Amino acid sequence: MKHRNMIKVIFSLLCCLPGIVWAGSTLDGVRQRGEVRCGVSSGVAGFSALGEDGQWHGLDVDVCRAVAAAVLGDANKVRYTPLSSQQRFAALQARQIDILSRNTTWTLSRDAGLGIVFTGITYFDGQGVLVPKSFHLKSARQLNGAEICVQSGTTNEKNLATFLKANRIKAKAIVYDNFEAAYKAFFSGRCQAFSTDVSALIGLKTKQALHPDDYEVLPEVFSKEPLGPAVLDGDTAWFLTVRWVVFAMIEAEELGVGQANLQTMLNSDNPAVARLLGQSEDLGKPLGLPKNWVQQILKQVGNYGEVFDRNLGAHSPLGLKRGLNDLWTRGGLMYAPPLR
């Protein structure tokens, strides 16, 4: 008995060490460590980037913060790991991270062929092309003879090749291993155009160009890029946790409850609001979460609309319109299954 108890103690200590990979349930592992390990980009404005305050900011970052708030009661209990496009899936497969929340496109080959699963869509995007205004281009179909910078190991590389071939455009893709190298090559004049997701192009134009008004995004959007968090396949409890955290943020916006009015809405006589906030039914129990898990998300992070606005929308330097990322009640695609 004494020997058995000693083994249990040693095992518990090992699971707490940062270098040890947790082999059991991810949800249990997160609780054991007291933190969510979040894989993010090395810097994409509006999604995941280090701010001047030394803290990570962005839509993808806030997804991880919301999960930490729901599971641990503290949105700050997140460890961020910046990953390149080539590193991101291997890091998740090796259980070095708990969530890949890194402007990653949901595709069949990724969802079915890498041992990972996407939990939902947090941003509907599409690929485009950024060029200097001095070229006086009206369309990406006028890129004959151009060299176009693009990042390797991404859907952007394949999409660009498909677009050029389908439209018989004789342009050359110049491929770079990482995002920073690719956009720096473009801004230094190595390439005449840069191609990636439109949201990232606007972020680059706003944040990285010395003279933002000297650049424009051409009108064509030539791919579907549904972006969202992914987790390791086979861990149903963790998959459901991350999925319903995102849905709860969307549902909260639809019901008009968020960080700004949470205290007031705790007294709402709307049955759907009372249920969402754990004032009546316990929606946390099926997920193994506290009854007030949605309250914690909204109090510490906010609903989907609040997160969008401060990172990408009207209250951010990017100033992106909601568009497809608006609620379904306002003509967008953001829609959460019923939380009941």
Side-chain angles (χ1 to χ4, degrees), residues 60-73:
D60 291 337
V61 170
D62 279 342
V63 168
C64 290
R65 295 181 66 243
V67 171
V71 176
L72 301 171

Side-chain angles (χ1 to χ4, degrees), residues 15 34 37 56 111-113 131 136 145 150 173 184 191 232 237 281 283 304 306-307 316 323 333:
C15 289
R37 301 174 304 175
W56 285 92
D111 204 36
V131 296
H136 302 293
V150 67
K184 284 187 174 179
C191 307
L232 202 61
E281 300 174 33
L283 296 179
Y304 180 80
E306 291 171 321
V307 168
S316 78
L333 298 178

Side-chain angles (χ1 to χ4, degrees), residues 187 203-213 215:
F187 285 123
L204 286 174
K205 176 179 176 292
T206 305
K207 291 284 190 177
Q208 301 298 332
L210 290 177
H211 303 288
D213 290 340
Y215 299 89

Side-chain angles (χ1 to χ4, degrees), residues 27 57 96-98 119 125 139 142 156 166 176 201-202 213 226 283 285 334:
L27 183 58
H57 298 279
Q96 295 169 355
I97 57 174
D98 303 313
T119 62
D125 212 340
S139 167
Q142 297 175 300
N156 300 144
Y176 290 86
L201 293 177
I202 294 173
D213 290 340
L283 296 179
K285 189 175 181 179
M334 281 298 166

Side-chain angles (χ1 to χ4, degrees), residues 8 17 27 54-55 112 156 166 181 184 215 243 250 257 272 277 327:
K8 289 181 178 179
L17 295 175
L27 183 58
Q55 302 297 314
N156 300 144
K184 284 187 174 179
Y215 299 89
R243 162 175 275 188
I250 296 170
V257 55
L277 299 179
L327 294 175

Side-chain angles (χ1 to χ4, degrees), residues 142-164:
Q142 297 175 300
L143 287 169
N144 269 310
E147 292 183 321
I148 306 171
C149 286
V150 67
Q151 185 182 1
S152 66
T154 63
T155 55
N156 300 144
E157 184 181 5
K158 291 183 179 180
N159 291 337
L160 178 62
T162 299
F163 176 74
L164 295 178

Side-chain angles (χ1 to χ4, degrees), residues 273-291:
V273 172
R275 183 168 52 242
L276 179 71
L277 299 179
Q279 299 296 84
S280 56
E281 300 174 33
D282 186 354
L283 296 179
K285 189 175 181 179
L287 297 170
L289 298 177
K291 189 175 182 181

